[in-house]
Amino acid sequence: MEPGKNIAIKVPLYRWDETVAFYRDKVGLKVTRELENSTGFSFGSMTLWIDRVPHQSQTDVWIELFDDEPGTALAALGSPRRDELEPLDGVTGHWTCDPAGTVILLRKNA
């Protein structure tokens, strides 16, 4: 497994505007993409996404790992399959989490 290119901070609706402003205005990260419910920032070789999640009550950090065989990697990790978290449109892989609950997108190498 190897690190992916994305890291996401899932933010409750009431905290989203101020969180985006924090990373843009105070930290000084460059906005690279703006979507309806997500803002992407250049974060070294990665993209840091600040995602607005209306039904969320607390902030979560989600990370991405790549592997040639996501199913085999999921079994090797012994982590639960969490594919109900978010649709994987156009992505081959699985959602899972570490023992502390950090959400991981384990996806096939491109």
Side-chain angles (χ1 to χ4, degrees):
M1 281 173 265
E2 59 188 60
K5 299 174 183 161
N6 298 289
I7 191 166
I9 301 175
K10 304 289 187 170
V11 180
L13 181 62
Y14 76 100
R15 291 284 193 190
W16 189 76
D17 287 329
E18 68 185 298
T19 303
V20 168
F22 174 84
Y23 284 99
R24 182 190 60 227
D25 304 336
K26 294 187 178 185
V27 176
L29 297 181
K30 179 183 174 190
V31 174
T32 57
R33 191 153 182 213
E34 291 185 89
L35 305 171
E36 182 179 347
N37 289 308
S38 191
T39 299
F41 294 92
S42 179
F43 197 73
S45 63
M46 303 179 103
T47 299
L48 171 64
W49 292 97
I50 309 298
D51 294 342
R52 176 177 29 209
V53 185
H55 59 275
Q56 189 109 346
S57 65
Q58 64 186 29
T59 300
D60 284 331
V61 175
W62 293 21
I63 64 171
E64 177 181 59
L65 295 174
F66 283 109
D67 196 88
D68 290 331
E69 298 292 334
T72 303
L74 180 66
L77 291 173
S79 298
R81 189 171 171 165
R82 305 277 317 274
D83 291 344
E84 77 284 357
L85 292 173
E86 197 172 276
L88 288 170
D89 300 331
V91 173
T92 300
H94 298 287
W95 290 109
T96 188
C97 62
D98 68 16
T102 304
V103 175
I104 301 167
L105 172 56
L106 183 55
R107 67 183 289 183
K108 186 172 179 77
N109 282 324

